[in-house]
Amino acid sequence: AQTVTQSQPEMSVQEAETVTLSCTYDTSESDYYLFWYKQPPSRQMILVIRQEAYKQQNATENRFSVNFQKAAKSFSLKISDSQLGDAAMYFCAYRSGTGNTPLVFGKGTRLSVIA
Amino acid sequence: NAGVTQTPKFQVLKTGQSMTLQCAQDMNHNSMYWYRQDPGMGLRLIYYSASEGTTDKGEVPNGYNVSRLNKREFSLRLESAAPSQTSVYFCASSEAAGFQPQHFGDGTRLSIL
């Protein structure tokens, strides 16, 4: 079974600075997808960014980018120019590329942004 | 465009009571999911329905049942609620393809006394 590990329960960053959230995963598959979700205090789960495993190029969405290291099974999220609205729980998730399977989530990292 | 709608948003039950959480999506998605979220545990899959007419157990199915009523609706039932089932419950839906993200409802906070 696939597992997703987020080793940082909590992180903090100064406003306008850059922060990187770590995620590693364990799988024997070669075809899969990786996601980062944000959960603000409102409890909504919001997709931040996603990556296809067969693509070597790292995904980028505005201030959010990933560092995808397939051999190391690492999928970190970098947030640049951090804003107060970035404060939230961040979840890394894995989905198999075979069949129609659910997401497997990490336990999350709580990010605080300091003004 | 409502997306994924969960009802109720909050509920308090007594131990042994039964309860059905409702979920509906208006995006014509094939797959639907129920998760529970507990502090420090992330989201754990209870049950999912890959397509209309099918359901499968997830990581923590004990104490729950589900019904995929039609393509739009996927309900979660607690037959005899226990305090260990106090949690926030999320419903989600997605297209069948793996790259498509899951869309989540706003969650149901369920407390069992």
Side-chain angles (χ1 to χ4, degrees):
Chain A
Q2 293 81 20
T3 58
V4 177
T5 301
Q6 294 179 249
S7 59
Q8 306 153 316
E10 297 183 354
M11 292 282 286
S12 62
V13 62
Q14 293 279 348
E15 199 175 5
E17 296 296 311
T18 296
V19 65
T20 298
L21 308 184
S22 300
C23 173
T24 58
Y25 57 94
D26 186 25
T27 184
S28 59
E29 299 176 325
S30 58
D31 183 20
Y32 52 88
Y33 308 94
L34 297 163
F35 304 81
W36 278 98
Y37 279 85
K38 170 185 178 182
Q39 186 181 40
S42 66
R43 226 166 57 191
Q44 283 183 299
M45 291 289 288
I46 303 165
L47 177 69
V48 174
I49 199 165
R50 51 183 169 165
Q51 175 83 39
E52 296 152 291
Y54 66 85
K55 284 191 175 179
Q56 292 187 341
Q57 186 174 5
N58 289 325
T60 299
E61 289 287 344
N62 301 314
R63 297 183 296 107
F64 298 87
S65 61
V66 298
N67 184 5
F68 174 47
Q69 301 289 328
K70 191 171 184 178
K73 296 179 182 175
S74 171
F75 183 61
S76 60
L77 175 69
K78 186 171 81 171
I79 306 173
S80 304
D81 186 25
S82 297
Q83 301 175 358
L84 294 177
D86 294 335
M89 284 290 288
Y90 286 82
F91 292 97
C92 179
Y94 170 102
R95 190 177 192 187
S96 172
T98 304
N100 190 357
T101 56
L103 291 172
V104 177
F105 286 88
K107 293 184 178 181
T109 296
R110 183 175 301 282
L111 177 67
S112 301
V113 180
I114 303 165
Chain B
N1 186 2
V4 179
T5 303
Q6 290 182 236
T7 55
K9 295 191 184 305
F10 302 94
Q11 185 70 46
V12 178
L13 294 177
K14 294 181 179 178
T15 297
Q17 286 185 315
S18 61
M19 171 78 187
T20 298
L21 306 186
Q22 306 287 352
C23 176
Q25 52 92 8
D26 62 2
M27 295 171 284
N28 201 35
H29 285 165
N30 287 308
S31 304
M32 298 185 73
Y33 314 85
W34 277 106
Y35 294 89
R36 60 178 288 173
Q37 183 178 24
D38 302 296
M41 298 295 292
L43 279 82
R44 293 183 293 169
L45 182 69
I46 304 171
Y47 271 93
Y48 70 104
S49 172
S51 60
E52 188 178 356
T54 69
T55 60
D56 287 283
K57 293 179 180 179
E59 181 184 355
V60 288
N62 291 344
Y64 305 95
N65 286 300
V66 291
S67 296
R68 184 75 182 266
L69 305 170
N70 48 55
K71 192 172 185 179
R72 290 187 63 249
E73 298 172 288
F74 188 40
S75 63
L76 177 72
R77 183 162 178 84
L78 288 70
E79 288 292 350
S80 179
S84 62
Q85 294 177 305
T86 294
S87 188
V88 179
Y89 290 85
F90 285 95
C91 178
S93 70
S94 72
E95 290 291 345
F99 190 53
Q100 298 306 313
Q102 290 184 6
H103 298 260
F104 286 81
D106 289 341
T108 296
R109 184 176 292 280
L110 183 61
S111 295
I112 299 160
L113 307 177

